[in-house]
Amino acid sequence: MMITTKTTTLAALIASAMMLSACGDGNDGKDGIDGENGQPGTPGTPGAVGLHIDMAEEAIANINKASYADGIISVDFELENRQGVGLFGLTGENPFHDFRFSLAQLQTHEGSDLKQWISLLNDTTNDDGTTFEQGFEKIKDCIECLVDHNDGSYTYTFNTNLLTAEDAAGIEFNPDLTQRIAIEMQFEYDSGHELAENAHFDWIPSTNGSEGIESRELVTMQTCYTCHQADSLKAHGGRRLDLENCQACHNGIVTDPNAISVEFGHMVHAIHMGPHREGKDADGNVVPMPYTIAGYGGDHAFDYPAFPTKPFMDCAACHVEDDNLADKDLWLANANANACTGCHTDSPAQHQSDKNPALSCTDCHSAAVHGDHAKPYQAAKDYDVTINKVAISAANEISFDMAITDPAGNLVSQQEVYKLGYSKPYMVVSWDVEKDYPDYDQSPYSQRRIDIKDPTKATWNADNSVSVKVAMNFPADIASRSLEILPVLKVCFAEGSGTRVSCDADNAYPAYVQTDALRTVLDDSEAVVADRRAIIDSQSCYGCHSFEFYHDSNGVNCIACHTNDKKLGAVEDANGDAVAWGEMKSTSFMYKAHKAKGHDNGHGGSGTLLKTDCMTCHSAEQGWGGLSYGFELGRNPGQAHTVPSFIPGKSNDPAVNPVATWYASSDAAACMSCHQKYLSEAAVAHMEGNGAYIGADKASAKAAREACATCHTPEKLMHAHGHQL
């Protein structure tokens, strides 16, 4: 049976399609009308520009402007990092964002020209509501008050209506007075990272003026940094950084809960009196009265060493002549009596009367008398000590003639040169200045100091010149070595003046003559004597200590006596007595300077001076190819520094911790002067493995060739201590 299959070809399909398309009139019609455009969508939120604040390493705040209307203040401010990138993302909803604002106004006391900052937004500090502290507006308490413009700029509108709000201290807002808006931020993240910043803005709300307005500028933060360092002045846990913020908060209305004033002027003066602040008890006896305030951690007494200027409280250390300070002379013209009582405690209160109910001390007293103490020292600066006819005989006797003269060239008499107890008129003889002075065991400083009022060593001539002749243990080639003769002596002046008087006068006040040491080479009168390498910036020392250091001040020449290898001295207890079991410490200049009271190294003390920042004291001079730093390692080979053989504080049992004199090579000694108490055996092994010597043999310390500088550059040393060059 045959089955036939029908097959459809491609050609047939195409033909069919053509036949179908031929049906109709051949036109597919016009296109339809386009539809109307739809309604625009809702605009999206603009993207943020900059860096989120939680990713910032630091924050810098700046208040651009403020505006005022009907009791409400608004403030525009910016936050950015050090590269100028805006920081967005600040919000009261973030628990880490502790950001707040304060207000203070500058008021003039009725009947006087005395100006004081007075806080607004005040809170009470005790249950009775009788003492006050400055309050704040915090962004977490009014989230909607802050507007983030997503580029690092913000606007904050105060939630408080200053015309209707009742201030706890009864202070009334006056829009015609200078007002200060202050910012405080302190973010403490769980990671340990912290952001802290202050900023302020002064302006008059009623006129919106910020130029040429009333101010109160007596000191600068930079002046504070003469003695303090930025890290040491981060008060209240790191929240308070700027002087202007301190002034706004510590103002004329605030006290602690015990009604002790914490007004800035009073507080600063009282704190800096330290253990020297005294007052009278109920029986009229003079007793210690250290400034004591009640804080959140309990009562705190500022009874530790404070203001280091000697031999008097030198007001000019803070009240500097700075023409950039609009009110630099205000403390002289119209002192705040609250500041006076910071130092003088209860004595001004005894002067209170109907005539002077506000304790306006300057009604009767001139604050300028505080500068009278400095007049003898200012006069002594212009005195001179000339030295000539220097010779050293074969018998090792040094002889020279000298004269002490005033600015007019008149010679000072023997009776006008001071000598009492330890303070003697010395001429200190040294050699090898460029090599850190003579070895102590060759010639201790007690033999190199010449008391010019000792008749066995010096003769006062009829014309008041002095002839000196003293035997010393000079090296055989002394004539070819550098020789130094340093005057360390005082001339007596009438107290509070520059008039010279006899030292046995009742009003005699001794002040050190400031004369550079004579340096020479006896065999070569034309020789340029090399200076000791630059180590200390002496102006830093004077900036903190004023006219006098610990003793014998004529420049920062302490190492002339306190040589590197000077013998050990006794450790003293809190009363200044030697520790009974005989613990010892080095008395070299480096060791003493690093260990001095107030030169805090981060392990106790007041925290005023952070010794870990080497640039606090050390110099930086232009050297070969860049700056040479005074703490640069490897610059002082061939020296032996005295160090105690034990770890201080390890044990008070001499059998366990015996006293012995050891020596360390230069770089190792520099580290040990701070770190010896904390050195591990591994650290000692590391130093010795890199060429250092620590032990009983002085010659080995001198012969050591340390490689510390290879790795421990000044930059790395600073970084290791938490600072940057």
Side-chain angles (χ1 to χ4, degrees), residues 460-484:
W460 285 76
N461 304 311
D463 63 351
N464 285 325
S465 64
V466 185
S467 298
V468 176
K469 180 181 287 188
V470 177
M472 291 186 187
N473 186 25
F474 290 106
D477 59 347
I478 183 62
S480 62
R481 297 193 183 195
S482 60
L483 181 71
E484 175 183 280

Side-chain angles (χ1 to χ4, degrees), residues 262-411:
V262 292
E263 184 266 335
F264 192 67
H266 179 89
M267 179 180 69
V268 168
H269 286 87
I271 287 175
H272 285 90
M273 283 293 287
H276 305 296
R277 192 172 188 263
E278 296 177 335
K280 293 181 180 178
D281 62 15
D283 298 324
N285 301 311
V286 176
V287 295
M289 191 179 287
Y291 183 57
T292 304
I293 56 175
Y296 293 108
D299 288 355
H300 181 81
F302 292 89
D303 55 358
Y304 39 79
F307 203 44
T309 62
K310 291 179 178 292
F312 51 83
M313 305 295 282
D314 184 9
C315 305
C318 297
H319 293 287
V320 298
E321 287 292 325
D322 186 344
D323 291 336
N324 293 321
L325 291 172
D327 305 291
K328 64 182 176 66
D329 296 325
L330 184 64
W331 70 283
L332 292 170
N334 202 330
N336 177 0
N338 203 28
C340 300
T341 57
C343 290
H344 297 285
T345 61
D346 58 345
S347 59
Q350 300 166 7
H351 292 63
Q352 191 168 5
S353 64
D354 293 337
K355 175 181 179 297
N356 187 17
L359 288 178
S360 297
C361 305
T362 50
D363 283 355
C364 301
H365 302 281
S366 169
V369 300
H370 291 83
D372 290 346
H373 297 294
K375 288 181 178 178
Y377 271 85
Q378 291 166 344
K381 281 185 176 181
D382 294 326
Y383 279 62
D384 196 12
V385 178
T386 56
I387 303 168
N388 55 62
K389 297 182 180 179
V390 182
I392 298 177
S393 71
N396 263 356
E397 283 186 327
I398 184 170
S399 61
F400 56 87
D401 291 340
M402 58 172 289
I404 308 166
T405 56
D406 65 15
N410 301 310
L411 272 67

Side-chain angles (χ1 to χ4, degrees), residues 167-185:
D167 186 87
I171 304 301
E172 295 184 1
F173 168 72
N174 185 343
D176 295 327
L177 298 178
T178 300
Q179 303 291 330
R180 172 167 291 172
I181 302 173
I183 286 176
E184 288 183 8
M185 66 172 286

Side-chain angles (χ1 to χ4, degrees), residues 496-507:
S497 80
T499 303
R500 191 169 72 253
V501 298
S502 174
C503 292
D504 58 8
D506 291 339
N507 66 338

Side-chain angles (χ1 to χ4, degrees), residues 584-604:
M584 307 290 279
K585 64 181 178 181
S586 173
T587 57
S588 74
F589 179 42
M590 178 178 68
Y591 197 99
K592 287 179 69 68
H594 286 177
K595 292 291 186 183
K597 290 181 179 179
H599 289 197
D600 177 38
N601 65 352
H603 299 283

Side-chain angles (χ1 to χ4, degrees), residues 427-444:
M427 302 296 286
V428 183
V429 178
S430 304
W431 51 93
D432 291 348
V433 174
E434 69 281 5
K435 299 178 182 178
D436 281 4
Y437 292 81
D439 275 4
Y440 186 84
D441 55 6
Q442 179 196 33
S443 186

